[in-house]
Amino acid sequence: MTALDLSSPVAVVGTGTMGQGIAQVALVAGHPVRLYDAVDGRAREAADAIGARLDRLVEKDRLTGAEREAARARLTSAESLDALADCALVVEAVVERLDVKQELFRALEDVVGDDCLLATNTSSLSVTAVGGALRVPGRFVGLHFFNPAPLLPLVEVVSGFATDPASATRAYETARAWGKTPVTCADTPGFVVNRVARPFYAEALAVHELRAADPATIDAVLRESGGFRMGAFELTDLIGQDVNESVTHSVWQAFFQDVRFTPSLAQRRLVESGRLGRKSGQGWYDYRDGAERPGPHTAPPAEAPAYVVVEGDLGPAAELVGLIREAGVEVRPEDGYGAGRIVLPDGGTLCLTDGELPGSEDLVHFDLALDYRAATRIALSASEGVRPGLLSGATGLFQALGKEVSVVGDVPGMIVARTVARIIDLAFDAVARGVAGPEDVDTAMRLGVNYPLGPFEWNRRLGDTWARDLLSHIHEWEPSGRCAPSLALHRHAAADAREGTPS
């Protein structure tokens, strides 16, 4: 099964931001495109808006003048659904209500031919449910574009329970012919991206609700240590708090209120107060004229230790040994058992967080970093009774490496580590349940939400038991089940342990 021929007309029903974006993608790819909207005049307005965007593409040398004129000639607005009768593909991008979508597709089925591919751009509803009332449900598929559709490369091609494999293949090949990077997935709540991404928001909100750090500090640690393009609070302000919470609530309800997807009370209160983010002027941050953006908590300068003792293997933080030497701090290596640690001259210990609480006056945890050399900020955590000199020495050590230091409360797993571990866990669970393959999951998370690594790439870097062990420790301290490792992650870690056992 191949992509639709470029001579085949494509229709987009619903002419909001997403509908216009999808129409522009199909139009620039070379298809005749027809726009339809139930509100009189909106399709014509959308056609004008798309034409203006084509003008900007010419100004940016992404289209020639001739290509623009040809595209404009292929774009028409439809006054009724009957005008879509000869279309080979109809993509729906209307309001996220099951009854509205079902009614639309029943009407479309009375107009188009039986060989017309019907697709929904839903991000939160069941593709199976939307297409369930159709006379020919096998030609129905999910084509989930990401906003803005002309710029973001990812498209999730979602097969409902009744979708014919040939229909899914044609949708996949068509998206690829349009210059997109499609991934295939099964029809489960959140598909790939909105399912696996929930911990990125949930763990930041959990750390905030535990009063371990403020939003600005959490965002800075996620960006500057975790390597994420944006922090969770600034990203939800950009998305819209109401939109982000709605998706979280939808996934939670669709999974029969699975505790792993529980919405945040703090975000609920923000939405109830009308602080929806950038679009309302206030969210976690204040975007009104003259408002100052709060900065992250950053520790004052401290003196670096003259030397450190490194016992054992620091695992994911092993790169720190070379960085410490480069900073002019003497490193005295010693053999050790179990997790590696850095010992300061006063006997205090620094360890990469393992999901346990520090729990000792002689221990400071530091957070995971995507790349300790490139990281510009490191988070430290200690118990309330930690010796002041130890926390100062730990701060001075990381400052000597050129890092800003944020001291956060003693929450298990800190910020980056617990976020990454939970993303890895949900990814393994999704693959085990047949949602998508590992490569498609990695592609989806890198392209759909701009993660620096896919979950399986992260897992290979951190080790096959790292996420399981860290989440198991967090679960001991927070036994709600929200952070409990999935069966899939336990099985993967156990398989790795068996492979590593001498025969």
Side-chain angles (χ1 to χ4, degrees), residues 346-370:
D346 65 359
T349 300
L350 304 181
C351 291
L352 174 63
T353 181
D354 59 358
E356 297 276 14
L357 289 176
S360 166
E361 66 175 12
D362 294 319
L363 176 62
V364 172
H365 279 155
F366 58 89
D367 206 351
L368 179 70
L370 172 70

Side-chain angles (χ1 to χ4, degrees), residues 184-258:
T184 59
C185 60
D187 181 26
T188 59
F191 311 141
V192 176
V193 172
N194 280 329
R195 175 183 182 142
V196 179
R198 295 345 292 164
F200 181 71
Y201 315 109
E203 296 315 308
L205 287 160
V207 171
H208 173 59
E209 289 177 332
L210 289 168
R211 305 188 70 81
D214 60 276
T217 300
I218 295 169
D219 278 353
V221 171
L222 286 169
R223 287 193 316 269
E224 299 172 38
S225 184
F228 293 95
R229 185 168 298 183
M230 298 181 74
F233 295 96
E234 57 190 345
L235 180 54
T236 53
D237 268 357
L238 178 64
I239 294 169
Q241 297 300 331
D242 53 340
V243 174
N244 183 259
E245 192 213 24
S246 177
V247 172
T248 298
H249 196 271
S250 174
V251 172
W252 176 62
Q253 290 284 21
F255 276 113
F256 306 104
Q257 300 185 358
D258 186 329

